[in-house]
Amino acid sequence: MQGKDINIYRYITLYSLDVICESSMGVSINAQEIEDSEYVKNVKLLCKIVAERQNRLRERFDLIYWLFPNYYREKRAVRQIHNFTYSVIDSRRKLLDESSPQQENDPEIKKRVAFLDMLLQSTVDGRPLTREEIREEVDTFMFEGHDTTGSAMSFALFLLASHPDVQVSSWIFIFNNKYRHF
């Protein structure tokens, strides 16, 4: 592979989607292994549609956006993503309802609390969040988080690859900080 260009963005975004899905919803979607899953395809499609809509003047206007095929693709993808998120919310809620007090005091379980679990236990002005409010929060966290993180990690890797002198000093810094207590 030496001397060849590699588009790492695809791999990084799948990785970040796996990590964010695990940390936000507490479920594994295995985006890196199952790249053609409905959820992964819909997330990729929405990212593509958002980019296309920004670059196409005629699709920017909500008043006429429904005249274009991307409108219907977007609606279908959003509906499928919402259905997936709702199913995860329902299963996590059921799991939390069924958990015993002994499990709640287990330090291993406590340190792996997903963002969704915190939302399910949260209240606003004394009332629990609705199913839709929870879905909105999780979807925003997922959609915005994986793309932004994937872009940032890709650019960081590109910059490190472009500056070999920084690579060496970065590894020295990491090594010194990791092993300084020995």
Side-chain angles (χ1 to χ4, degrees):
M1 288 269 199
Q2 194 169 7
K4 292 186 180 184
D5 290 342
I6 299 172
N7 184 357
I8 195 90
Y9 181 73
R10 182 177 133 228
Y11 304 106
I12 294 292
T13 53
L14 291 173
Y15 172 74
S16 63
L17 189 57
D18 274 341
V19 170
I20 289 178
C21 192
E22 183 78 36
S23 63
S24 68
M25 292 196 285
V27 295
S28 179
I29 60 168
N30 298 316
Q32 296 172 84
E33 290 85 30
I34 311 168
E35 214 176 318
D36 64 338
S37 75
E38 284 302 310
Y39 188 81
V40 173
K41 283 196 280 189
N42 285 319
V43 168
K44 285 181 180 181
L45 178 62
L46 283 177
C47 289
K48 180 182 174 204
I49 289 172
V50 166
E52 287 176 356
R53 190 168 182 201
Q54 288 175 346
N55 292 321
R56 295 178 180 163
L57 183 61
R58 65 185 189 272
E59 289 186 24
R60 286 188 192 171
F61 302 102
D62 290 338
L63 188 62
I64 61 169
Y65 182 50
W66 65 271
L67 295 170
F68 300 98
N70 271 350
Y71 173 83
Y72 298 98
R73 290 184 195 114
E74 176 185 324
K75 293 296 178 199
R76 185 176 51 249
V78 166
R79 185 174 49 254
Q80 290 174 349
I81 286 174
H82 288 179
N83 288 340
F84 175 78
T85 307
Y86 279 135
S87 71
V88 172
I89 289 169
D90 294 341
S91 66
R92 294 299 287 188
R93 179 170 276 147
K94 184 178 177 185
L95 187 68
L96 283 173
D97 290 344
E98 292 173 354
S99 68
S100 68
Q102 182 184 15
Q103 287 174 320
E104 290 174 11
N105 294 328
D106 185 350
E108 275 298 305
I109 292 172
K110 274 193 171 192
K111 92 176 166 183
R112 290 182 277 129
V113 175
F115 177 62
L116 174 57
D117 295 346
M118 289 188 284
L119 289 173
L120 287 168
Q121 297 169 347
S122 296
T123 59
V124 175
D125 296 330
R127 77 164 175 82
L129 297 173
T130 65
R131 188 172 177 241
E132 185 169 338
E133 289 170 332
I134 293 170
R135 188 219 19 99
E136 288 172 355
E137 293 297 326
V138 171
D139 283 347
T140 300
F141 194 78
M142 287 288 301
F143 192 73
E144 300 298 330
H146 100 274
D147 194 46
T148 307
T149 303
S151 295
M153 289 174 19
S154 295
F155 283 122
L157 289 172
F158 170 75
L159 289 171
L160 283 171
S162 300
H163 301 282
D165 55 316
V166 176
Q167 290 177 30
V168 172
S169 59
S170 297
W171 284 112
I172 291 170
F173 176 78
I174 291 168
F175 183 80
N176 285 339
N177 284 321
K178 186 172 184 175
Y179 299 106
R180 108 179 109 192
H181 59 278
F182 286 113

